[in-house]
């Protein structure tokens, strides 16, 4: 144990040192963190994490949050990602942050100019964390100290959070929570997966008044998708664990106090696996109430990204998105325009691909937007007013935005 | 500061050498070579795992158990992430023997595709070679009986 401790201690020192090195060049965008002219150490201090989220602020600036050492950093671009400002430190006090795959810092840019940033703070034990939120009342120039969203403070899993604001300015946080799984384990009862929890803030994330369990038995490592329904209430979709181990999706409407207004099954692919898909869904709802979704599942022996519409109790128009290597799709809607983005390995390079519809989803045009040779993050669709953009961070090219016309 | 950095990197590396077998890195070429069925003339497990995958531990524990019981078995683990200071800890804790690989700086999608084009990133993923040219790829937690059948090994030894 002593040896393991000293090993971890060394890793911790290394982490701190790398943070110092990283902060010394804080004016550079994340792509420039890697010095390609210097030989990289064979063993990194920690797992490389490229998880980044972006959103357009009310004034049109593109904001992005990502992790740098033990800090979440907010970057700002006034020219659609061509150049980025020196980053703002979101959490002044350092803390371990998860920013990998489906679990990454998020941000909400509210019409009032406030910016809400969330992340999962890693706790001591493996697979444990807590959901943190920090608010900026000045458009992301400075942040109040972060708060922990959930009341449960056990050293267990609370992570994979998602944020959405409704038209009244309420901020909803949804996350995957292991408290019910832990309680079952202590009582020697079986429990499938994690639970989805919700908390609601009525002061733009400065505090959270309501907390509720949305559903038992979610998957443990897939992001939660959220969109506002036509009645203004959030609708969320997550990968569920149906008995005994079927990883299809479930959907729930959320009330203003965080409680669910009924849970329905959203997909019917029947992927049975005791494993971690690391591949969550995305949802966009039209003004006509049509729920457009993209998701990943293994169906008929092949893992594919799907698009479909989700009327209650069934899927309409389910089809493949991209080829057999398509992955991590995201979807957004603006009037009659719908955009789907994903990444896809073409045998040599990883491509950023998009499908754009201008007729409410009746037809889609496929376009290849970019390609990269090394590590790339999952792409996202962003809205600036009614314009749609793809956002993609890659190791070599940095953070970029691509208009989707 | 660079001197301190070098010392720290060196101590991290020597500690990881203590902690277990050193990781070898895989790029798309070496990944492709590693999974050629013709290369496996004895029962072989190629176990894909990652440090962020709770389900992976169950498989790694089973594979360590089977490898200890059956000396004909070759066990190869591949972390689907670049080597970092804490990566060996789960393998060491579970006493997982065998060659250890981690991703190189090559594109992760390219390495994954070279290992198994049917694999879409879900973990654990296991490639099982029976040593006679046959192989299967399985996602998720495996039971010992299924594993032994795929390996062409008789019997079950674990309750």
């Amino acid at each position: 144990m002593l040896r393991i401790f000293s090993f971890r201690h060394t890793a911790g020192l290394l982490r701190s040192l790398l943070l110092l090195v990283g902060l010394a060049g804080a004016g550079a965008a994340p792509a420039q963190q890697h010095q390609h002219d210097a030989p990289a150490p064979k063993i990194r201090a920690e797992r490389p994490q490229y998880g980044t989220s972006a959103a357009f602020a009310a004034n049109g600036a593109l904001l992005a949050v990502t992790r740098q050492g033990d800090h979440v950093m907010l970057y700002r671009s006034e020219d659609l990602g061509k150049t980025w400002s020196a980053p703002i430190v979101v959490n002044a006090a350092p803390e371990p942050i998860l920013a990998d795959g489906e679990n990454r810092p998020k941000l909400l840019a509210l019409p009032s100019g406030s910016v809400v940033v969330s992340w999962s703070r890693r706790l001591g034990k493996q697979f444990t964390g807590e959901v943190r939120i920090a608010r900026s009342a000045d458009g992301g120039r400075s942040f109040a100290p972060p708060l922990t969203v959930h009341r449960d403070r056990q050293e267990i899993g609370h992570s994979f959070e998602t944020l959405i604001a409704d038209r009244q300015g309420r901020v909803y946080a949804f996350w995957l929570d292991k408290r019910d799984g832990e309680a079952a384990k202590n009582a020697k009862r079986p429990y499938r997966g994690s639970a989805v929890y919700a908390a609601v803030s009525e002061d733009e994330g400065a505090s959270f008044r309501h907390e509720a369990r949305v559903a038992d038995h979610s998957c443990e490592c897939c992001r939660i998708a959220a969109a506002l329904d036509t009645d203004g209430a959030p609708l969320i979709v997550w990968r569920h664990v149906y008995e005994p181990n079927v990883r299809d999706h479930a959907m729930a409407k959320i009330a203003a106090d965080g409680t669910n207004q009924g849970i329905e099954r959203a997909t019917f692919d029947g992927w049975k696996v005791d494993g971690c898909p690391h591949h969550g869904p995305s949802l966009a709802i039209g003004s006509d109430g049509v729920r457009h979704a993209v998701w990943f599942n293994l169906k008929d022996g092949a893992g594919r990204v799907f698009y479909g519409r989700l009327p209650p109790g069934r899927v309409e128009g389910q089809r493949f998105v991209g080829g057999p290597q398509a992955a991590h799709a995201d979807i957004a809607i603006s009037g009659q325009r719908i955009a789907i983005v994903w990444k896809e390995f073409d045998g040599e390079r990883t491509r950023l691909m998009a499908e754009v519809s201008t007729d409410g989803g009746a037809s889609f045009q496929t376009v290849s937007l970019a390609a990269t040779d090394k590590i790339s993050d999952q792409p996202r669709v962003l809205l600036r007013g009614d314009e749609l953009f793809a956002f993609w961070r890659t190791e070599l090219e940095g953070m970029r935005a691509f208009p989707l016309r | 500061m660079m001197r301190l950095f070098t010392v720290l990197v060196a101590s991290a590396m020597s500690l990881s050498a203590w902690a277990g077998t050193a990781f070898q890195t895989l790029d798309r070429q070496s990944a492709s070579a590693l999974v050629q069925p013709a290369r496996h003339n004895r029962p072989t497990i190629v176990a894909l795992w990652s440090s962020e995958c709770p389900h992976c531990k169950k498989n790694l524990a089973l594979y360590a158990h089977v490898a200890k019981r059956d000396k004909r078995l070759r066990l190869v683990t591949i972390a689907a992430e670049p080597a970092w200071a804490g990566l060996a800890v789960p393998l060491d804790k579970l006493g997982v023997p065998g060659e250890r690989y981690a991703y190189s700086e090559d594109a992760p999608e390219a390495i994954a595709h070279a290992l198994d084009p049917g694999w879409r990133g879900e973990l654990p993923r296991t490639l099982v070679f029976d040593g006679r040219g046959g192989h299967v790829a399985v996602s998720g937690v495996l039971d010992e009986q299924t594993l032994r059948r795929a390996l062409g090994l008789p019997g079950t030894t674990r309750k």
Side-chain angles (χ1 to χ4, degrees), chain A residues 96-171:
Chain A
I97 288 152
L98 293 162
D100 186 47
E102 302 272 285
N103 202 12
R104 74 240 339 266
K106 316 281 186 331
L107 83 163
L108 268 185
L110 300 172
S112 65
S114 294
V115 175
V116 181
V117 175
S118 71
W119 64 92
S120 295
R121 169 190 192 165
R122 194 180 66 224
L123 300 175
K125 287 189 214 158
Q126 213 187 1
F127 311 127
T128 66
E130 53 187 31
V131 177
R132 308 276 280 164
I133 282 190
R135 175 174 173 260
S136 166
D138 57 7
R141 282 169 184 83
S142 65
F143 281 85
L147 58 89
T148 297
V149 171
H150 35 88
R151 294 175 194 146
D152 181 84
R153 297 297 167 91
Q154 299 176 76
E155 192 177 335
I156 60 170
H158 317 83
S159 56
F160 294 89
E161 82 287 349
T162 287
L163 300 178
I164 193 169
D166 70 13
R167 293 183 194 104
Q168 283 73 45
R170 289 186 202 96
V171 172

Side-chain angles (χ1 to χ4, degrees), chain B residues 66-119:
Chain B
V66 175
K68 274 173 206 145
R69 297 288 301 229
D70 204 316
K71 300 298 175 203
R72 286 171 295 170
L73 178 68
R74 179 181 174 214
L75 176 57
V76 177
T77 58
I78 302 175
E81 61 194 277
W84 56 280
L87 189 59
V89 173
L91 296 177
D92 292 336
K93 273 188 179 167
L94 294 166
V96 179
E99 299 145 67
R100 294 176 178 181
Y101 290 91
Y103 279 18
S104 67
E105 306 284 326
D106 198 358
E109 284 92 347
I111 304 170
H113 188 256
L115 286 170
D116 176 0
W119 174 44

Side-chain angles (χ1 to χ4, degrees), chain B residues 117-129:
Chain B
W119 174 44
R120 305 308 318 288
E122 69 277 10
L123 286 168
R125 178 82 166 179
T126 309
L127 313 181
V128 188
F129 298 86

Side-chain angles (χ1 to χ4, degrees), chain A residues 95-305:
Chain A
E95 58 185 52
I97 288 152
L98 293 162
D100 186 47
E102 302 272 285
N103 202 12
R104 74 240 339 266
K106 316 281 186 331
L107 83 163
L108 268 185
L110 300 172
S112 65
S114 294
V115 175
V116 181
V117 175
S118 71
W119 64 92
S120 295
R121 169 190 192 165
R122 194 180 66 224
L123 300 175
K125 287 189 214 158
Q126 213 187 1
F127 311 127
T128 66
E130 53 187 31
V131 177
R132 308 276 280 164
I133 282 190
R135 175 174 173 260
S136 166
D138 57 7
R141 282 169 184 83
S142 65
F143 281 85
L147 58 89
T148 297
V149 171
H150 35 88
R151 294 175 194 146
D152 181 84
R153 297 297 167 91
Q154 299 176 76
E155 192 177 335
I156 60 170
H158 317 83
S159 56
F160 294 89
E161 82 287 349
T162 287
L163 300 178
I164 193 169
D166 70 13
R167 293 183 194 104
Q168 283 73 45
R170 289 186 202 96
V171 172
Y172 296 74
F174 304 99
W175 68 93
L176 303 182
D177 195 309
K178 281 301 265 186
R179 73 182 81 167
D180 302 287
E182 289 294 323
K185 196 165 89 182
N186 294 338
K188 299 197 177 356
R189 280 186 286 112
Y191 187 91
R192 300 188 309 281
S194 289
V196 178
Y197 272 72
V200 186
S201 170
E202 291 172 358
D203 52 12
E204 299 192 324
S207 66
F208 281 82
R209 268 185 71 183
H210 308 286
E211 178 170 318
R213 181 175 61 214
V214 175
D216 284 305
H217 310 311
S218 68
C219 194
E220 292 151 301
C221 52
C222 291
R223 71 185 192 223
I224 302 165
L228 290 187
D229 209 349
T230 45
D231 62 1
L235 192 70
I236 65 169
V237 177
W238 67 93
R239 187 186 293 280
H240 203 70
V241 189
Y242 288 96
E243 282 190 273
N245 60 350
V246 179
R247 306 265 167 171
D248 260 311
H249 299 81
M251 183 161 58
K253 178 73 74 69
I254 307 298
D257 62 357
T259 56
N260 84 61
Q261 303 295 293
I263 298 172
E264 43 187 288
R265 185 158 174 168
T267 66
F268 303 85
D269 302 318
W271 182 17
K272 288 186 177 181
V273 67
D274 288 313
C276 306
H278 296 295
H279 221 141
S282 179
L283 175 71
I285 302 174
S287 53
D288 53 4
V290 175
R291 300 157 181 180
H292 304 266
V294 285
W295 68 93
F296 175 87
N297 256 345
L298 203 75
K299 192 177 185 189
D300 304 325
R304 296 295 298 253
V305 173

Side-chain angles (χ1 to χ4, degrees), chain A residues 3 7 10 17-18 43-47 126-127 220 274-276 296 303 324-326 343 345 348 350 373-374, chain B residues 5 15-16 18 28 51-52 54-55 57 81-85 105 107 109-110 113 117 120 122-123 140-141:
Chain A
R3 282 176 173 179
F7 179 65
T10 308
L17 197 67
L18 286 187
I43 295 179
R44 300 171 188 233
E46 56 182 16
R47 206 168 190 257
Q126 213 187 1
F127 311 127
E220 292 151 301
D274 288 313
C276 306
F296 175 87
Q325 297 298 316
K343 62 176 183 170
F345 182 64
E348 289 291 327
T350 303
D373 288 320
K374 287 201 161 190
Chain B
F5 180 79
L15 280 165
S16 97
W18 159 80
R28 63 188 85 184
S51 55
E52 294 296 325
H55 288 277
K57 287 182 173 177
E81 61 194 277
W84 56 280
E105 306 284 326
E109 284 92 347
H113 188 256
R120 305 308 318 288
E122 69 277 10
L123 286 168
V141 176

Side-chain angles (χ1 to χ4, degrees), chain A residues 9 77 80 109 111 124 179 195 211 226 264 270 277 293 296 336 393:
Chain A
H9 186 60
S77 174
L80 291 175
R179 73 182 81 167
E211 178 170 318
E264 43 187 288
F296 175 87
Q336 286 294 297
R393 179 179 176 192

